[in-house]
């Protein structure tokens, strides 16, 4: 058996424990449909070899021969089959100040939180994506059924539609409030014949004041929809991706949009013109998450060369974009340098290639990446490419599929197949007398697709869905009320 065949078999077992019913292996790793002799296929296969090579047993002579090839593998960058616009759009995040985010002082200074599930939004299908406006007035969801649903969160919190006794039976005792659906509309895409067809919603984000909403489609198109006026009207389709759009993130200034797809491409869109501003080429498989480093008005002024009001302000020169892919790659991109290679965070030894979620700490100094082997890797900027520590969940808890940071910058919410947990990052993992996390009741036995926390850390939402990848869903969509403690 050749080395390439051996690596493909090993990687398939690490990812799925066998054959996958959802996708074949070439589709998952992003090398399907390419000729074996093409440059892109060679780069992708080389990346697979590089990812799984720590788990192979090789002789000393083979290790010596492989060392000279390492710089060559690191320098290879896959070419994207994306046509750039001429003229290109603008990198709006460098030209406009970011939106000022609201915050609660008590929530930022507390030691921990009491998180209690009280709301259930009844849904019969998988929820792949969820988004909410800044004040949590409206919540939007989309999933496998091909509809975008708008929920009245204020009416839900105020218990305008209580759950019946039969509906409460499948949830914990504290869940008594039913989700109030305000409206919904068809998530229509356009096929090759120009006819509207329903498409699953693979990703979503919404304007902070619900002016418009963006959604990712199976064909690779991105839909831009009106929300506040003439709700549900499709304004336009942004068409560059070739496969399902798995991630959408509106830029901090809300004039730009970053999209990630199963075609391995990460694209920055100028929403003022609808043109492509930049394509990020570096990932070898499907994009799983995209997150902007926390970026304030003072930091934007420093980037523009303006004088700051206080000497203690963070003078970081440029926003940084964090991207991860399903094979475990984690890359950091400097938005000012379009041709620079990204900084890469490496996989720890004996860690299977997998990453579906990543998040920043509130101060933008650390990155957390969820792994398949029940762990969360913590990376610190300026401390090298290896993780500074690894948070280990209990055995058999399942892959970590969603992560989110609470407002106090020390409580990390991580979701795995068995439960949702809140990890206290300031509790030493070496102390056997204390448990460094607490279990948040509600979810059990399903893949979590989204953890959504409002800007004041008063409410939290969790949705169940596979996002088209490996796993199972129980179609549960829960809302939590959060109280600061200490």
């Amino acid at each position: 058996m050749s080395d390439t065949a051996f690596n493909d078999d090993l990687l398939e077992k690490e990812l799925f424990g066998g054959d996958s019913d959802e996708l074949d292996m070439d589709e998952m790793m992003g090398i399907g449909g390419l000729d074996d002799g093409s440059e892109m296929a060679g780069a992708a296969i080389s990346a697979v070899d590089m990812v799984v090579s720590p788990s192979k047993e090789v002789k000393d002579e083979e290790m010596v021969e492989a060392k000279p090839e390492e710089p060559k593998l690191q320098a290879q960058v896959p070419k994207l089959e994306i046509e750039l616009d001429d003229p290109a759009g603008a990198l709006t995040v460098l030209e406009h100040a970011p939106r000022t985010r609201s915050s609660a002082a008590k929530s930022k200074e507390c030691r921990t939180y009491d998180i209690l599930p009280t709301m259930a939004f009844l849904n019969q299908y998988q929820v792949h994506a969820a988004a909410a406006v800044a004040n949590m007035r409206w919540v939007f969801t989309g999933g496998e059924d091909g509809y975008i649903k708008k929920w009245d969160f204020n009416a839900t919190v105020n218990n305008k539609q209580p759950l019946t006794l039969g509906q409460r039976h499948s949830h914990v005792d504290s869940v008594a409030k039913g989700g109030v659906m305000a409206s919904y509309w068809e998530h229509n895409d356009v096929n090759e014949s120009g006819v509207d067809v329903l498409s699953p919603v693979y990703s979503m984000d919404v304007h902070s004041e619900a002016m418009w909403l963006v959604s990712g489609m199976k064909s690779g198109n991105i839909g831009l929809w009106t929300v506040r006026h003439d709700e549900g009207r499709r304004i336009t389709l942004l068409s560059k991706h070739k496969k399902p759009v798995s991630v959408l993130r509106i830029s901090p200034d809300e004039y730009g949009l970053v999209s990630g797809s199963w075609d391995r491409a990460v694209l920055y869109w100028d929403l003022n013109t609808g043109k492509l501003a930049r394509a990020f080429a570096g990932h070898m498989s499907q994009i799983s998450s995209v997150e902007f480093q926390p970026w304030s008005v003072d930091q934007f002024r420093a980037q523009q060369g303006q004088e700051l009001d206080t000497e203690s302000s963070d003078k970081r020169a440029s926003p940084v974009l964090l991207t991860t892919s399903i094979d475990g790659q984690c890359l950091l991109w400097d938005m000012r340098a379009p041709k620079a290679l990204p900084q890469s965070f490496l996989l720890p030894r004996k860690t299977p290639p997998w990453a579906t979620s990543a998040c920043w700490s509130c101060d933008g100094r650390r990155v957390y990446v969820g792994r398949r082997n029940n762990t969360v890797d913590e990376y610190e900027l300026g401390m090298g490419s290896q993780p500074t520590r690894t948070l280990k969940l209990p055995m058999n808890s399942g892959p970590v599929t969603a992560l989110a940071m609470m407002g106090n910058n020390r409580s990390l919410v991580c979701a795995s197949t068995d439960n949702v947990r809140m990890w206290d990052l300031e509790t030493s993992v070496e102390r056997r007398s204390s448990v460094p996390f607490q279990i948040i009741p509600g979810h059990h036995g399903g893949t979590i697709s989204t953890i959504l926390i409002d800007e004041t850390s008063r409410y939290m939402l969790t949705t169940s869905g596979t996002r088209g990848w490996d796993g199972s869903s129980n179609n549960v969509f829960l809302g939590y009320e959060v109280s600061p403690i200490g």
Side-chain angles (χ1 to χ4, degrees):
M1 182 181 295
S2 64
D3 290 342
T4 303
F6 170 80
N7 290 334
D8 288 346
D9 291 342
L10 177 60
L11 184 58
E12 184 173 356
K13 292 179 180 179
E14 291 282 10
L15 282 171
F16 308 111
D19 296 331
S20 172
D21 295 333
E22 296 275 346
L23 299 167
D24 58 19
M25 196 57 206
D26 289 344
E27 181 76 13
M28 175 63 72
M29 298 308 299
I31 60 177
L34 297 177
D35 296 332
D36 294 338
S38 67
E39 180 180 353
M40 191 181 300
I45 294 174
S46 298
V48 175
D49 293 339
M50 180 172 57
V51 170
V52 301
S53 58
S55 63
K56 295 166 54 179
E57 297 181 1
V58 295
K59 298 180 181 180
D60 295 338
E61 294 81 7
E62 295 176 345
M63 290 293 291
V64 173
E65 294 177 0
K67 285 183 178 179
E69 298 296 329
E70 290 180 357
K72 181 178 179 181
L73 291 175
Q74 185 70 20
Q76 286 181 337
V77 177
K79 295 182 180 180
L80 299 178
E81 299 178 1
I82 301 293
E83 295 181 3
L84 300 180
D85 291 324
D86 186 19
L91 281 173
T92 62
V93 72
L94 301 179
E95 300 179 356
H96 302 278
R99 177 182 65 85
T100 301
R101 297 170 61 89
S102 58
S103 61
K106 186 176 181 180
S107 177
K108 295 175 64 176
E109 298 172 359
C110 70
R111 178 179 55 85
T112 185
Y113 299 89
D114 179 28
I115 303 179
L116 186 68
T118 59
M119 298 163 274
F121 300 78
L122 302 182
N123 192 73
Q124 296 181 352
Y125 298 89
Q126 296 187 38
V127 181
H128 294 323
V133 297
N135 61 1
M136 295 293 287
R137 177 68 175 86
W138 305 108
V139 175
F140 301 86
T141 60
E144 197 66 29
D145 57 348
Y147 287 86
I148 296 176
K149 300 174 183 177
K150 177 182 176 183
W151 304 86
D152 188 337
F153 191 73
N154 284 1
T156 303
V157 171
N158 293 325
N159 201 18
K160 297 295 184 180
Q161 184 173 297
L163 295 174
T164 65
L165 194 61
Q167 292 170 339
R168 295 182 60 180
H169 181 71
S170 58
H171 300 287
V172 296
D173 293 340
S174 59
V175 177
K177 303 174 182 179
V180 178
M181 184 184 298
S183 61
Y184 66 93
W185 65 86
E186 296 178 344
H187 188 238
N188 284 328
D189 194 3
V190 178
N191 61 15
E192 297 178 354
S193 303
V195 180
D196 283 355
V197 293
L198 277 182
S199 170
V201 184
Y202 281 95
S203 54
M204 178 188 296
D205 205 357
V206 67
H207 184 264
S208 61
E209 297 182 4
M211 298 297 295
W212 42 265
L213 177 145
V214 287
S215 62
M217 301 179 177
K218 187 175 182 179
S219 66
N221 290 331
I222 300 171
L224 180 61
W225 309 84
T226 58
V227 176
R228 181 174 293 186
H229 307 288
D230 194 12
E231 182 180 277
R233 180 174 64 87
R234 190 180 65 211
I235 302 173
T236 188
L237 288 176
L238 305 177
S239 304
K240 289 292 184 180
H241 290 293
K242 308 300 182 183
K243 294 183 179 180
V245 180
S246 51
V247 187
L248 288 173
R249 194 69 65 224
I250 297 174
S251 61
D253 63 316
E254 297 195 321
Y255 289 96
L257 172 70
V258 177
S259 61
S261 170
W262 289 12
D263 61 8
R264 309 187 301 274
V266 178
L267 306 179
Y268 190 104
W269 301 84
D270 180 359
L271 293 180
N272 288 322
T273 62
K275 293 183 178 296
L276 192 61
R278 180 177 173 183
F280 302 85
H283 284 285
M284 299 292 185
S285 67
Q286 302 165 1
I287 308 302
S288 57
S289 68
V290 170
E291 293 290 341
F292 280 95
Q293 188 179 25
W295 181 242
S296 67
V297 175
D298 282 344
Q299 291 159 355
F300 171 77
R301 291 175 179 172
Q303 184 261 335
Q304 295 289 324
Q306 302 176 15
E307 294 185 2
L308 303 182
D309 298 334
T310 60
E311 296 182 357
S312 60
S313 297
D314 188 351
K315 300 181 180 181
R316 193 186 318 131
S318 173
V320 177
L321 183 67
L322 165 69
T323 61
T324 63
S325 52
I326 198 71
D327 63 350
Q329 270 188 304
C330 182
L331 304 179
L332 297 180
W333 307 84
D334 187 343
M335 300 298 294
R336 299 173 303 171
K339 296 183 179 180
L341 292 175
Q343 177 185 345
S344 176
F345 287 142
L346 301 180
L347 278 166
R349 289 184 61 85
K350 299 182 180 179
T351 298
W354 180 270
T356 60
S357 180
C359 71
W360 290 92
S361 60
C362 294
D363 57 9
R365 297 177 181 177
R366 299 184 303 277
V367 171
Y368 297 89
V369 183
R371 303 296 187 187
R372 187 173 179 82
N373 59 340
N374 320 323
T375 61
V376 178
D377 290 329
E378 178 188 83
Y379 299 88
E380 190 166 348
L381 270 64
M383 297 296 289
S385 58
Q386 294 291 341
T388 53
R389 63 172 169 171
T390 298
L391 311 178
K392 296 183 179 180
L393 276 66
M395 294 293 293
N396 302 322
S397 62
V400 179
T401 57
L403 294 170
M405 181 65 70
M406 299 295 292
N408 63 355
N409 202 33
R410 63 176 285 179
S411 299
L412 178 69
V413 180
C414 54
S416 52
T417 304
D418 63 341
N419 282 305
V420 179
R421 295 174 173 83
M422 183 173 62
W423 199 290
D424 186 356
L425 299 175
E426 295 189 9
T427 299
S428 174
V429 296
E430 299 178 355
R431 293 175 54 188
R432 297 180 180 271
S433 59
S434 61
V435 179
F437 60 82
Q438 67 181 36
I439 295 177
I440 301 173
H443 275 286
H444 182 74
T447 301
I448 306 299
S449 57
T450 308
I451 298 176
L452 189 62
I453 300 173
D454 80 311
E455 296 177 0
T456 60
S457 294
R458 293 180 56 195
Y459 300 103
M460 185 177 80
L461 301 173
T462 57
T463 63
S464 180
T466 64
R467 300 171 62 193
W469 289 318
D470 186 38
S472 60
S473 172
N474 52 20
N475 307 335
V476 174
F477 175 20
L478 295 179
Y480 303 75
E481 297 182 29
V482 182
S483 302
I485 297 176

